[in-house]
């Protein structure tokens, strides 16, 4: 498995080149082929991963704050305790991925696909999702996802598909926006309107 020492990216002529991860920090890695790559604990904040292929990549513990994953392929990645705060996951494919204990606070999840993904105890505080203006396009999809114990406070899920999702112990508050007709009482969730430490500090 390729490790942090060598990250496979593509140059402008679509030829694969090897690039040290230290110089990749905050770089443009769009279209990168990173399948199965080990990026655990890497500091990759602000990196452009749009249209990148990260299928089955190892991202656990990585700093991915404010990264752009627009239309990236993140299927079956291991992203345990990874930091995705304020990341752009618009139209990202995350089916079957493991985001256990990951922090996705403030992330843009518009039209992202999380079918069968594991987000146990993950923070989705303040995530947002815009409805596609194109009726044929998919919306944010959590079908079959495991969100037990997740923090859904202030999350805008009005456009989300929540079919067969597991939500036992997930926390929500008055600022959580649900799809029309959604009944929180049916899913064993916890109403929690306590302020976060970041809100108190403000």
């Amino acid at each position: 498995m390729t490790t942090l020492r060598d990250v496979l990216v593509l140059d402008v002529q679509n030829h694969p080149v090897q690039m040290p991860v230290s110089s990749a920090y905050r770089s443009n890695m769009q279209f990168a082929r990173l399948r199965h790559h080990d990026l655990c604990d890497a500091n990759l904040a602000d990196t452009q991963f749009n249209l990148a292929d990260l299928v089955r990549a190892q991202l656990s513990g990585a700093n991915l704050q404010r990264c752009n994953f627009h239309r990236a392929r993140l299927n079956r990645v291991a992203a345990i305790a990874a930091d995705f705060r304020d990341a752009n996951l618009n139209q990202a494919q995350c089916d079957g991925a493991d985001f256990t204990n990951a922090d996705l606070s403030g992330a843009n999840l518009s039209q992202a696909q999380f079918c069968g993904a594991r987000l146990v105890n993950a923070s989705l505080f303040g995530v947002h999702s815009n409805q596609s203006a194109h009726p044929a396009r998919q919306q944010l999809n959590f079908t079959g996802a495991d969100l037990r114990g997740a923090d859904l406070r202030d999350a805008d899920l009005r456009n989300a598909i929540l079919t067969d999702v597991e939500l036992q112990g997930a926390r929500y508050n008055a600022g959580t926006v649900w799809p029309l007709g959604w009944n929180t009482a049916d899913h064993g969730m916890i109403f929690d309107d306590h302020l976060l430490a970041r809100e108190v500090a403000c």
Side-chain angles (χ1 to χ4, degrees):
M1 178 182 291
T2 306
T3 67
L4 284 174
R5 297 172 187 267
D6 297 293
V7 176
L8 184 63
V9 299
L10 299 179
D11 65 13
V12 293
Q13 296 179 325
N14 260 357
H15 296 139
V17 294
Q18 296 296 326
M19 179 176 176
V21 75
S22 57
S23 63
Y25 177 61
R26 293 185 179 178
S27 72
N28 183 347
M29 299 180 74
Q30 59 182 335
F31 304 106
R33 297 174 184 170
L34 300 169
R35 285 194 172 212
H36 301 280
H37 277 54
D38 187 349
L39 300 172
C40 291
D41 301 314
N43 187 351
L44 294 166
D46 300 296
T47 299
Q48 297 293 317
F49 285 108
N50 42 311
L51 292 165
D53 185 349
L54 292 129
V55 172
R56 294 185 182 274
Q58 302 296 313
L59 302 175
S60 295
N63 178 5
L64 299 162
Q65 292 183 59
R66 301 176 301 279
C67 285
N68 183 8
F69 290 100
H70 175 62
R71 295 182 64 187
R73 300 184 64 187
L74 294 157
N75 307 84
R76 300 193 179 281
V77 298
I80 298 169
D83 189 347
F84 287 88
R85 283 178 292 172
D86 299 314
N88 178 21
L89 289 153
N90 181 21
Q91 298 183 52
Q93 298 177 33
C94 305
D95 295 342
D98 190 350
F99 292 96
T100 299
N101 292 318
D103 191 347
L104 289 88
S105 301
N108 176 9
L109 305 185
S110 300
Q111 301 175 57
Q113 305 299 297
F114 289 89
C115 297
R118 183 175 175 84
L119 295 106
V120 175
N121 296 323
S123 176
L124 283 80
F125 178 87
V127 298
H128 55 282
S129 162
N130 298 321
Q131 184 171 11
S132 171
H134 195 295
R137 289 183 180 169
Q138 292 180 309
Q139 305 303 329
L140 171 59
N141 194 345
F142 285 110
T143 298
D146 189 348
L147 282 87
R148 289 174 297 168
D151 186 352
L152 302 175
R153 291 177 294 172
D154 285 0
D156 187 347
L157 303 172
R158 75 185 73 192
N159 301 311
I161 298 171
L162 301 175
T163 305
D164 296 327
V165 67
E166 294 188 55
L167 287 162
Q168 293 87 349
R171 291 175 294 155
Y172 70 100
N173 63 4
T176 306
V177 184
W178 300 102
L180 187 65
W182 183 259
N183 188 351
T184 57
D186 294 339
H187 299 277
M189 292 183 287
I190 300 170
F191 182 78
D192 181 359
D193 235 359
H194 291 100
L195 295 177
L196 296 180
R198 74 182 73 171
E199 297 174 292
V200 174
C202 293

